Amino acid sequence: MPEGPELHLASQFVNEACGALVFGGCVEKSSVSRNPEVPFESSAYRISASARGKELRLILSPLPGAQPPQEPLALVFRFGMSGSFQLVPCEELPRHAHLRFYTAPPGPRLALCFVDVRRFGHWDLGGKWQPGRGPCVLQEYEQFRENVLRNLADKAFDRPICEALLDQRFFNGIGNYLRAEILYRLKIPPFEKARSVLEALQQRRPSPKLTLSQKIKAKLQNPDLLELCHSVPKEVVQLGGKGYGSESGEEDFAAFRAWLRCYGMPGMSSLQDRHGRTIWFQGDPGPLAPKGRKSHKKKSKATQPSPEDRVEDPSRPSKALSRTRRAKRDLPERTATQRPEGSSLQQDPEVPTVPKKGRRKGRQAASGHRRPRKVKADTPSLEPEGTSAS
């Protein structure tokens, strides 16, 4: 899912692609989007963007003499699980373009589209960053560092460091792949207590005997966790392209996939944290690892058996197939209305809450008919927030 670097790259894309374009007319929202209408119309306006953490601000600025007279309008976007901006010809609108800004004539008509396949993304009118989010790890590093170290008494730091890193009140811009890469580089177990990891940084002071160049060199050679929260996202931005993406075969994501060292890589282990998010790591998970859960190690493609190597008894039905059939028979189809309405800044806000699994009690009636199951809508995160946080 999009994290801080992806939002920053998206703002760069909008500014570079739209800097010389003039837009005109109304802003068009798709009929299926639950986001608010954008009450803006102008015969000629420009679009610019900026990013902060996991949010992107779009500013629509009417040109002098544009009709009707209109004040600039700002929108703040959160990308959810799959949001992005695309600039396309009007006759080639993407299927999931939920907000569209059209260029003014003359010239070929283009559309800047907010594309969101999974529809967890959101936009707000007014242009204010979401309250409660901490300073941006990319662009406000000093304030970010101070905010974390000043608030180590907060109960968020009683939790495992992998969970604390998703708390957008303190780590605005960090998400699932970034936390894995940061902890891996420092060899910190993901389920080590966050306060234990961070308290030592309060005492860290460079020797007054070192020159400025020596201090910089020492910092680059031995970065701490908070420094990596700034420098690792910066590396992703410097790669260019689109940053994180799961679409295979796209050249934009090739550099990013080559950059990854831990997240989803062969030989790495994985566990789910208490929010249902998968954390990738190497070695010991740490003392706060969930009890009763086994870590899974990803095999390299070379070690995975090919279809020819798998010998199965054709007389025995596939367990996976039978499980799939049972699931289809027992579970009603989930609708869009069952998605979580709220989110918590204390976990990655753009990520839907994962419902806990439970064993169904009771037996089938003698007639063979199953009793209808009660289906609860997914509940929002336990605590107040803002990002799912991709």
Side-chain angles (χ1 to χ4, degrees):
M1 61 169 290
E3 303 184 16
E6 287 70 39
L7 274 289
H8 189 83
L9 287 167
S11 71
Q12 286 185 350
F13 165 76
V14 170
N15 290 331
E16 292 168 7
C18 302
L21 298 177
V22 175
F23 293 80
C26 298
V27 179
E28 191 174 272
K29 183 178 81 77
S30 73
S31 59
V32 296
S33 174
R34 293 184 175 186
N35 284 305
E37 295 284 349
V38 178
F40 183 88
E41 181 179 3
S42 177
S43 58
Y45 66 95
R46 293 196 187 276
I47 295 179
S48 60
S50 60
R52 180 179 184 266
K54 288 194 177 185
E55 296 181 294
L56 181 145
R57 177 189 285 151
L58 215 60
I59 299 180
L60 317 181
S61 304
L63 298 179
Q67 296 296 324
Q70 180 82 270
E71 290 294 318
L73 178 69
L75 303 166
V76 170
F77 290 80
R78 291 182 286 283
F79 280 19
M81 299 285 285
S82 58
S84 67
F85 276 99
Q86 296 180 25
L87 184 67
V88 298
C90 282
E91 60 274 12
E92 299 177 19
L93 292 178
R95 182 180 175 188
H96 299 281
H98 295 300
L99 198 64
R100 304 178 280 269
F101 308 85
Y102 295 99
T103 57
R109 283 201 85 193
L110 302 174
L112 177 67
C113 304
F114 178 63
V115 181
D116 186 11
V117 175
R118 299 188 66 180
R119 282 193 265 163
F120 284 105
H122 189 77
W123 62 79
D124 291 316
L125 304 176
K128 292 183 179 180
W129 303 120
Q130 188 178 34
R133 286 182 182 266
C136 175
V137 296
L138 262 171
Q139 297 179 317
E140 301 168 315
Y141 170 68
E142 294 299 335
Q143 299 97 306
F144 150 70
R145 186 181 184 92
E146 180 186 356
N147 183 47
V148 172
L149 296 180
R150 188 180 64 242
N151 288 287
L152 287 183
D154 192 278
K155 66 178 182 179
F157 299 103
D158 293 333
R159 298 176 187 155
I161 185 63
C162 66
E163 294 181 8
L165 283 170
L166 294 186
D167 192 326
Q168 301 300 295
R169 297 174 303 159
F170 304 109
F171 297 91
N172 187 12
I174 300 296
N176 211 25
Y177 81 77
L178 284 173
R179 67 173 178 170
E181 295 297 319
I182 291 165
L183 295 175
Y184 171 77
R185 293 191 187 190
L186 293 173
K187 296 181 171 54
I188 296 174
F191 291 93
E192 189 69 52
K193 189 174 182 179
R195 190 176 294 107
S196 302
V197 173
L198 294 166
E199 274 180 337
L201 305 188
Q202 290 179 315
Q203 314 303 325
R204 188 180 179 189
R205 296 283 187 275
S207 171
K209 296 180 181 179
L210 296 178
T211 64
L212 179 59
S213 61
Q214 288 173 328
K215 290 178 182 178
I216 293 173
K217 185 178 179 180
K219 195 173 183 179
L220 292 174
Q221 290 177 341
N222 300 290
D224 62 34
L225 186 139
L226 297 181
E227 287 164 349
L228 285 186
C229 286
H230 171 69
S231 63
V232 172
K234 205 170 179 180
E235 289 177 19
V236 180
V237 171
Q238 290 168 349
L239 291 174
K242 296 179 180 177
Y244 171 78
S246 57
E247 296 87 342
S248 58
E250 288 199 36
E251 292 182 5
D252 276 328
F253 301 125
F256 175 80
R257 285 194 289 268
W259 170 85
L260 289 171
R261 302 184 194 179
C262 176
Y263 182 77
M265 300 301 289
M268 297 296 156
S269 301
S270 65
L271 272 172
Q272 284 192 342
D273 63 21
R274 74 187 186 97
H275 295 300
R277 302 293 306 280
T278 299
I279 175 67
W280 292 88
F281 62 95
Q282 186 178 51
D284 179 23
L288 300 181
K291 305 298 182 185
R293 294 187 190 176
K294 292 183 179 179
S295 63
H296 303 281
K297 183 168 284 190
K298 185 168 184 177
K299 296 179 181 179
S300 64
K301 291 183 180 179
T303 62
Q304 291 176 354
S306 65
E308 293 80 7
D309 296 331
R310 299 189 187 106
V311 179
E312 296 181 359
D313 182 356
S315 64
R316 298 182 64 185
S318 165
K319 290 184 179 180
L321 184 61
S322 64
R323 281 197 298 267
T324 303
R325 286 173 177 166
R326 280 202 304 272
K328 287 183 177 178
R329 184 176 61 204
D330 292 350
L331 296 177
E333 184 178 351
R334 178 169 293 181
T335 64
T337 59
Q338 291 174 317
R339 289 181 302 177
E341 294 296 328
S343 56
S344 167
L345 285 169
Q346 300 185 26
Q347 65 163 311
D348 211 350
E350 280 87 33
V351 178
T353 310
V354 178
K356 293 187 176 181
K357 297 179 181 178
R359 182 171 295 179
R360 187 179 171 196
K361 296 182 179 179
R363 299 181 179 179
Q364 279 184 296
S367 63
H369 296 293
R370 293 177 180 270
R371 288 177 295 178
R373 299 181 66 185
K374 294 182 180 179
V375 180
K376 295 182 181 179
D378 291 346
T379 56
S381 165
L382 300 176
E383 292 147 36
E385 134 113 318
T387 86
S388 156
S390 42

